[in-house]
Every structure is written in structure tokens, then in C-alpha cells.
Amino acid sequence: EAWARKYPERTVLAVSADKDRKANIITLGWNMPTSSRPPMAAISVGLTRYSHQLISEGGEFVLCFPSEDMEAAVRYCGTHSGREVDKFKETGLTPLPAKYVKPPLIGECVVNMECRVVGQLRTGDHTIFVGEILAAYLSEEKKKVLFNLGNDKFGGF
């Protein structure tokens, strides 16, 4: 099938927060840079997802590139709803305070980018959220970034 040829695909985590700063993490495959000046990135989130509600209401997210050793956490965040569980607690991931946005960074990730939503586009059953990157952080550890290789396999590059 032609669609299966999209792999490998960058897998990211997006962190959002409710009005009380309770954070949620979602695993996403659809993401991309959209501008260099100013720096912007886009993520595509399903309309029914709890993160869709939180990003729509809060107008912020943290875009995180997980390391290859985070596969179990990435799978968990992609298969459980933040409406029902605390994904930071359940995965053991470390929330770190962000400088400009309410949602926290993820300490174990290779890259964290604080984003403020500057545009959105409804595309069928998803919304593309475009975030201006207000701050970006790179892990001091030299870790490989996790990619979805297709056929339920992940690997680092």
C-alpha cells in the first residue's frame, strides 16, 4: 500500500495543560517545521483527542522529540487517554517547568520546544496547530531520536 511507504516517520510527543496546569502527553506522527523566521512547527491532532481540547483552549503546547529508549512511554502516551490517567505519573517521565508556556517540558526527551499557537486549520478529522517556537532545548546527553519504522516497529536515528 502506498501510504505505508511514508515510514520512517518522526514520532513526537506534544504536552498540553488544562487551566489548572494538569499536563497531558499525546504521541503524534504528523508533525513538521513550517517556518525558519520566526521558527514555527505544526502538529496534527485528532478532533476527538483530549489534547485537541487542551491545545484549543490553552493555545500552547510543548513539542518533544523522544529518545530511542522512550519507546514504552511513547506507546503508552499514544494508547491511553489523559482524560482518565496521568501520563507523567504512569510513564515515570519527568515534567520540567517551561519558561514561556504552561505545559511542562519532558526531561527525558532529546529536544523540547515551547510553542504558542499562532494558527490552526481543520483538515477533516484532525486540526493542524501551528506553533511559534518561543524557546528550544537540546539534551546534553547524546541520544538517538525515536522514529516509527512502520509495522509496529520503532528505532533510533
Side-chain angles (χ1 to χ4, degrees):
E1 166 180 328
W3 188 249
R5 299 297 297 179
K6 70 180 182 154
Y7 298 104
E9 172 181 82
R10 178 177 297 282
T11 299
V12 298
L13 299 172
V15 186
S16 52
D18 67 15
K19 61 184 183 328
D20 298 321
R21 292 186 178 245
K22 182 178 181 291
N24 184 52
I25 309 167
I26 188 170
T27 301
L28 300 170
W30 298 346
N31 58 89
M32 65 182 225
T34 62
S35 173
S36 297
R37 291 193 180 96
M40 294 187 191
I43 57 174
S44 186
V45 182
L47 299 176
T48 62
R49 304 295 185 219
Y50 182 51
S51 292
H52 188 282
Q53 175 188 334
L54 296 180
I55 295 169
S56 295
E57 292 172 357
E60 301 173 331
F61 61 91
V62 175
L63 180 59
C64 311
F65 294 2
S67 61
E68 69 176 334
D69 61 348
M70 293 175 62
E71 180 179 342
V74 166
R75 286 180 183 272
Y76 185 90
C77 292
T79 56
H80 293 78
S81 174
R83 287 184 183 102
E84 297 153 9
V85 297
D86 179 335
K87 294 182 191 180
F88 273 102
K89 180 180 176 188
E90 295 300 319
T91 60
L93 294 175
T94 308
L96 299 175
K99 187 173 181 180
Y100 300 106
V101 299
K102 289 182 184 81
L105 314 176
I106 300 176
E108 291 78 8
C109 283
V110 178
V111 173
N112 283 274
M113 299 178 191
E114 297 183 38
C115 299
R116 180 172 300 127
V117 175
V118 294
Q120 58 188 67
L121 176 66
R122 172 90 178 260
T123 58
D125 60 359
H126 281 63
T127 297
I128 297 172
F129 293 101
V130 178
E132 181 175 356
I133 301 167
L134 306 175
Y137 310 91
L138 179 62
S139 172
E140 293 179 8
E141 295 180 51
K142 299 291 183 206
K143 300 186 209 176
K144 291 182 177 181
V145 176
L146 186 69
F147 278 77
N148 182 345
L149 304 177
N151 295 319
D152 203 34
K153 290 182 175 47
F154 288 83
F157 287 98

